[in-house]
mmCIF file of all heavy atoms in Angstrom:
data_model
loop_
_atom_site.group_PDB
_atom_site.id
_atom_site.type_symbol
_atom_site.label_atom_id
_atom_site.label_comp_id
_atom_site.label_asym_id
_atom_site.label_seq_id
_atom_site.Cartn_x
_atom_site.Cartn_y
_atom_site.Cartn_z
ATOM 1 N N VAL B 137 -14.493 -33.424 57.509
ATOM 2 C CA VAL B 137 -14.829 -32.377 58.319
ATOM 3 C C VAL B 137 -13.633 -31.935 59.122
ATOM 4 O O VAL B 137 -12.989 -32.655 59.855
ATOM 5 C CB VAL B 137 -15.992 -32.748 59.321
ATOM 6 C CG1 VAL B 137 -16.326 -31.596 60.294
ATOM 7 C CG2 VAL B 137 -17.194 -33.256 58.616
ATOM 8 N N VAL B 138 -13.305 -30.540 58.994
ATOM 9 C CA VAL B 138 -12.136 -30.123 59.553
ATOM 10 C C VAL B 138 -12.168 -30.234 60.953
ATOM 11 O O VAL B 138 -11.109 -30.600 61.685
ATOM 12 C CB VAL B 138 -11.884 -28.744 58.918
ATOM 13 C CG1 VAL B 138 -10.678 -28.180 59.713
ATOM 14 C CG2 VAL B 138 -11.712 -28.755 57.482
ATOM 15 N N VAL B 139 -13.197 -29.912 61.634
ATOM 16 C CA VAL B 139 -13.276 -29.958 63.064
ATOM 17 C C VAL B 139 -12.932 -31.281 63.658
ATOM 18 O O VAL B 139 -12.225 -31.524 64.589
ATOM 19 C CB VAL B 139 -14.716 -29.517 63.587
ATOM 20 C CG1 VAL B 139 -14.770 -29.586 65.032
ATOM 21 C CG2 VAL B 139 -14.994 -28.051 63.091
ATOM 22 N N VAL B 140 -13.490 -32.315 62.926
ATOM 23 C CA VAL B 140 -13.184 -33.722 63.434
ATOM 24 C C VAL B 140 -11.731 -34.155 63.197
ATOM 25 O O VAL B 140 -11.188 -34.725 64.173
ATOM 26 C CB VAL B 140 -14.201 -34.677 62.644
ATOM 27 C CG1 VAL B 140 -13.791 -36.098 62.880
ATOM 28 C CG2 VAL B 140 -15.660 -34.429 62.877
ATOM 29 N N LEU B 141 -11.274 -33.732 62.069
ATOM 30 C CA LEU B 141 -9.922 -34.040 61.857
ATOM 31 C C LEU B 141 -8.968 -33.302 62.864
ATOM 32 O O LEU B 141 -8.054 -33.829 63.314
ATOM 33 C CB LEU B 141 -9.404 -33.582 60.406
ATOM 34 C CG LEU B 141 -7.974 -33.807 60.074
ATOM 35 C CD1 LEU B 141 -7.624 -35.231 60.099
ATOM 36 C CD2 LEU B 141 -7.854 -33.310 58.590
ATOM 37 N N SER B 142 -9.394 -31.989 63.082
ATOM 38 C CA SER B 142 -8.537 -31.231 64.091
ATOM 39 C C SER B 142 -8.653 -31.932 65.499
ATOM 40 O O SER B 142 -7.562 -32.038 66.048
ATOM 41 C CB SER B 142 -9.140 -29.762 64.159
ATOM 42 O OG SER B 142 -8.424 -29.163 65.027
ATOM 43 N N ASP B 143 -9.845 -32.401 65.759
ATOM 44 C CA ASP B 143 -9.995 -33.073 67.085
ATOM 45 C C ASP B 143 -9.145 -34.206 67.128
ATOM 46 O O ASP B 143 -8.521 -34.585 68.082
ATOM 47 C CB ASP B 143 -11.411 -33.294 67.386
ATOM 48 C CG ASP B 143 -12.066 -31.996 67.768
ATOM 49 O OD1 ASP B 143 -11.583 -31.074 67.985
ATOM 50 O OD2 ASP B 143 -13.483 -31.995 67.648
ATOM 51 N N HIS B 144 -9.200 -35.110 66.101
ATOM 52 C CA HIS B 144 -8.486 -36.352 66.040
ATOM 53 C C HIS B 144 -6.945 -35.983 66.044
ATOM 54 O O HIS B 144 -6.441 -36.821 66.778
ATOM 55 C CB HIS B 144 -8.840 -37.129 64.810
ATOM 56 C CG HIS B 144 -8.034 -38.259 64.485
ATOM 57 N ND1 HIS B 144 -8.282 -39.433 65.287
ATOM 58 C CD2 HIS B 144 -7.231 -38.634 63.598
ATOM 59 C CE1 HIS B 144 -7.586 -40.309 64.907
ATOM 60 N NE2 HIS B 144 -6.733 -39.908 63.768
ATOM 61 N N LEU B 145 -6.475 -35.057 65.469
ATOM 62 C CA LEU B 145 -5.107 -34.797 65.425
ATOM 63 C C LEU B 145 -4.725 -34.255 66.810
ATOM 64 O O LEU B 145 -3.593 -34.651 67.331
ATOM 65 C CB LEU B 145 -4.645 -33.770 64.431
ATOM 66 C CG LEU B 145 -4.729 -34.348 62.968
ATOM 67 C CD1 LEU B 145 -4.482 -33.215 61.946
ATOM 68 C CD2 LEU B 145 -3.865 -35.534 62.613
ATOM 69 N N ASP B 146 -5.599 -33.577 67.380
ATOM 70 C CA ASP B 146 -5.326 -33.049 68.934
ATOM 71 C C ASP B 146 -5.155 -34.189 69.781
ATOM 72 O O ASP B 146 -4.199 -34.236 70.604
ATOM 73 C CB ASP B 146 -6.339 -32.085 69.252
ATOM 74 C CG ASP B 146 -6.332 -30.640 68.814
ATOM 75 O OD1 ASP B 146 -5.137 -30.338 68.272
ATOM 76 O OD2 ASP B 146 -7.243 -29.929 68.855
ATOM 77 N N ARG B 147 -6.119 -35.053 69.629
ATOM 78 C CA ARG B 147 -5.999 -36.200 70.606
ATOM 79 C C ARG B 147 -4.898 -37.096 70.365
ATOM 80 O O ARG B 147 -4.233 -37.579 71.076
ATOM 81 C CB ARG B 147 -7.379 -36.936 70.602
ATOM 82 C CG ARG B 147 -8.613 -36.372 71.057
ATOM 83 C CD ARG B 147 -9.805 -36.981 70.774
ATOM 84 N NE ARG B 147 -9.861 -38.346 71.205
ATOM 85 C CZ ARG B 147 -10.731 -39.358 70.872
ATOM 86 N NH1 ARG B 147 -11.787 -39.037 69.984
ATOM 87 N NH2 ARG B 147 -10.628 -40.511 71.427
ATOM 88 N N SER B 148 -4.577 -37.248 68.928
ATOM 89 C CA SER B 148 -3.385 -38.137 68.510
ATOM 90 C C SER B 148 -2.114 -37.546 69.195
ATOM 91 O O SER B 148 -1.163 -38.189 69.656
ATOM 92 C CB SER B 148 -3.440 -38.224 67.040
ATOM 93 O OG SER B 148 -4.634 -38.918 66.607
ATOM 94 N N GLU B 149 -2.098 -36.242 68.995
ATOM 95 C CA GLU B 149 -0.875 -35.522 69.524
ATOM 96 C C GLU B 149 -0.685 -35.817 70.976
ATOM 97 O O GLU B 149 0.454 -36.032 71.379
ATOM 98 C CB GLU B 149 -0.938 -33.975 69.192
ATOM 99 C CG GLU B 149 0.431 -33.223 69.503
ATOM 100 C CD GLU B 149 0.263 -31.759 69.306
ATOM 101 O OE1 GLU B 149 -0.823 -31.259 68.995
ATOM 102 O OE2 GLU B 149 1.250 -31.099 69.582
ATOM 103 N N ARG B 150 -1.763 -35.499 71.767
ATOM 104 C CA ARG B 150 -1.656 -35.724 73.199
ATOM 105 C C ARG B 150 -1.176 -37.241 73.458
ATOM 106 O O ARG B 150 -0.409 -37.473 74.382
ATOM 107 C CB ARG B 150 -2.969 -35.425 73.821
ATOM 108 C CG ARG B 150 -3.302 -33.849 73.924
ATOM 109 C CD ARG B 150 -4.303 -33.632 75.067
ATOM 110 N NE ARG B 150 -5.590 -34.299 74.585
ATOM 111 C CZ ARG B 150 -6.627 -33.595 73.780
ATOM 112 N NH1 ARG B 150 -6.254 -32.401 73.310
ATOM 113 N NH2 ARG B 150 -7.607 -34.236 73.517
ATOM 114 N N LEU B 151 -1.760 -38.046 72.813
ATOM 115 C CA LEU B 151 -1.502 -39.492 72.955
ATOM 116 C C LEU B 151 -0.065 -39.710 72.761
ATOM 117 O O LEU B 151 0.678 -40.401 73.411
ATOM 118 C CB LEU B 151 -2.359 -40.375 72.062
ATOM 119 C CG LEU B 151 -2.039 -41.913 72.022
ATOM 120 C CD1 LEU B 151 -2.561 -42.501 73.505
ATOM 121 C CD2 LEU B 151 -2.763 -42.656 71.052
ATOM 122 N N LEU B 152 0.460 -39.217 71.616
ATOM 123 C CA LEU B 152 1.897 -39.423 71.270
ATOM 124 C C LEU B 152 2.745 -38.765 72.226
ATOM 125 O O LEU B 152 3.919 -39.220 72.520
ATOM 126 C CB LEU B 152 2.135 -38.834 69.793
ATOM 127 C CG LEU B 152 1.368 -39.431 68.649
ATOM 128 C CD1 LEU B 152 1.563 -38.901 67.381
ATOM 129 C CD2 LEU B 152 1.929 -41.082 68.632
ATOM 130 N N VAL B 153 2.357 -37.494 72.800
ATOM 131 C CA VAL B 153 3.148 -36.972 73.769
ATOM 132 C C VAL B 153 3.418 -37.750 75.080
ATOM 133 O O VAL B 153 4.251 -37.993 75.691
ATOM 134 C CB VAL B 153 2.697 -35.534 74.204
ATOM 135 C CG1 VAL B 153 3.249 -35.003 75.379
ATOM 136 C CG2 VAL B 153 2.760 -34.641 72.894
#
Side-chain angles (χ1 to χ4, degrees):
Chain B
V137 178
V138 177
V139 174
V140 173
L141 178 61
S142 177
D143 290 344
H144 176 67
L145 292 176
D146 280 343
R147 289 172 60 193
S148 299
E149 183 184 4
R150 283 197 297 272
L151 177 71
L152 293 175
V153 170

